[in-house]
Amino acid sequence: MLLPTVGIEQIFNLPYTGEDFKLLRHDPINMPHIPHAHKHDFYMLLIIEQGSGTHTIDFREHSVSEKMVFFLAPGQAHQWDLAENTSGYQLMFSQKFLTAGSQRLPFFNLSAYPALTLENDQYQTLTLEFEQILKEMSTTAQFQTELLQTRLQLVLILLKRWYSHSFNLQDTTTDNRLINSFLTLLDQHYMVHSEVSFYADELHVTPNYLNQICRKKSGITTGDYIRERILLEAKRMLTLTNLDIKEIAYALGFNDTSYFSRFFRKNTGVSPQEFRKTNN
């Protein structure tokens, strides 16, 4: 990736030892202010027990309140400004720490809303699982890694159940499976393929059908999804790297810098240079 990333081991200033899982209890949070956007190479859950402030994820600001869970996938840019008394948990894990065959998790889709407010009983259930994880992490018992992976899977399944219910998601429908497959492909190929026909061919459907499903499920077209993904990465690069505009344009598949600048201004209302200046 062209963007700088922060690994789990860097957060704790440790030499890399293959650590792929970490759970912290914040009481209060040790870093309430992160003023500059950065991204990670791992998944992260920020669970707010109590507190207030803002959490900005991929340049969208979200209000923070008690019993909230924020979801971040690898590569997402974020920063926060939290009250000094904010407490809760921070769970971090790598892709390879997930158990084999883990189901797709809706809250890690880039198009998904990145936060969930829990009911009291849901929060209590979640924190009980976290306390069991912390207890296990303090031991050196046999099969510790396997048990932690299983407990992580349980946490993610619970969150998937609550998230799907809260946002009325039906993952088993054919339409949702198609959308999820499209978003997975898009995240893999957007720097090279911006044409709707490529994704339709990969999914063995017609461009018109894919467009109909996107409109039905989200109200936007397949082309809108593609443009939004390219714009998001452009914003990340402008904010998190020192690459010049020409290098960013080329990395995103634009052969002409002026065309990239027109594309960016048309869809954001400002030039790439103005966006960089405002966000830095």
Side-chain angles (χ1 to χ4, degrees):
M1 290 294 292
L2 293 171
L3 297 180
T5 60
V6 179
I8 295 176
E9 74 284 352
Q10 292 171 277
I11 288 182
F12 304 103
N13 196 28
L14 297 171
Y16 182 67
T17 58
E19 185 172 17
D20 294 300
F21 181 83
K22 194 74 175 182
L23 175 63
L24 295 178
R25 173 77 170 100
H26 290 297
D27 192 17
I29 194 165
N30 59 0
M31 291 181 64
H33 308 293
I34 302 179
H36 302 294
H38 66 284
K39 72 169 192 171
H40 305 143
D41 64 356
F42 52 87
Y43 294 94
M44 189 183 89
L45 305 180
L46 176 66
I47 299 90
I48 305 295
E49 178 181 45
Q50 64 176 12
S52 59
T54 59
H55 189 185
T56 302
I57 301 173
D58 279 337
F59 313 102
R60 294 184 180 180
E61 187 176 284
H62 305 275
S63 295
V64 172
S65 59
E66 66 177 16
K67 297 181 177 62
M68 286 188 75
V69 183
F70 288 94
F71 305 94
L72 283 99
Q76 288 191 280
H78 83 118
Q79 61 197 90
W80 63 52
D81 185 15
L82 304 175
E84 300 286 344
N85 67 341
T86 300
S87 62
Y89 298 84
Q90 191 175 356
L91 176 63
M92 294 156 282
F93 55 95
S94 69
Q95 174 67 44
K96 66 181 180 180
F97 197 81
L98 290 170
T99 56
S102 293
Q103 297 180 10
R104 184 176 179 86
L105 300 165
F107 36 75
F108 288 132
N109 288 342
L110 289 181
S111 61
Y113 190 71
L116 174 67
T117 300
L118 300 176
E119 302 291 339
N120 288 334
D121 61 332
Q122 293 172 341
Y123 183 80
Q124 293 301 320
T125 298
L126 190 63
T127 55
L128 286 173
E129 295 299 330
F130 285 161
E131 292 305 319
Q132 288 298 314
I133 289 174
L134 289 171
K135 181 179 178 181
E136 183 63 30
M137 289 174 63
S138 68
T139 74
T140 56
Q142 192 176 19
F143 308 120
Q144 182 195 57
T145 297
E146 289 88 342
L147 186 54
L148 289 175
Q149 287 177 307
T150 302
R151 290 199 179 280
L152 171 62
Q153 184 73 357
L154 177 58
V155 164
L156 294 175
I157 291 172
L158 285 170
L159 288 169
K160 181 179 181 179
R161 170 187 286 175
W162 300 332
Y163 187 94
S164 297
H165 180 265
S166 180
F167 292 97
N168 194 28
L169 302 180
Q170 300 294 326
D171 287 344
T172 57
T173 67
T174 301
D175 289 353
N176 273 303
R177 288 198 298 269
L178 181 64
I179 289 289
N180 288 338
S181 296
F182 164 59
L183 293 175
T184 298
L185 283 171
L186 179 59
D187 207 40
Q188 295 170 348
H189 300 290
Y190 68 92
M191 285 189 172
V192 178
H193 293 286
S194 60
E195 62 278 11
V196 174
S197 60
F198 168 80
Y199 298 98
D201 288 345
E202 289 293 308
L203 295 167
H204 308 293
V205 297
T206 67
N208 283 340
Y209 182 74
L210 181 58
N211 195 53
Q212 289 173 8
I213 299 302
C214 287
R215 278 190 176 277
K216 176 182 175 182
K217 290 298 176 181
S218 62
I220 64 175
T221 68
T222 310
D224 291 333
Y225 270 115
I226 296 169
R227 282 188 292 275
E228 287 184 4
R229 184 64 186 90
I230 294 171
L231 281 169
L232 173 58
E233 203 64 25
K235 291 176 180 178
R236 289 175 176 174
M237 290 182 175
L238 289 165
T239 304
L240 305 177
T241 78
N242 293 321
L243 295 174
D244 62 35
I245 305 302
K246 182 178 181 180
E247 290 173 313
I248 293 173
Y250 181 76
L252 292 174
F254 293 85
N255 293 323
D256 187 311
T257 305
S258 61
Y259 176 61
F260 167 70
S261 295
R262 291 195 301 273
F263 167 83
F264 192 90
R265 180 184 286 277
K266 178 181 178 181
N267 288 281
T268 65
V270 297
S271 70
Q273 294 88 341
E274 291 169 331
F275 181 87
R276 168 170 273 174
K277 184 177 180 180
T278 300
N279 287 276
N280 285 334

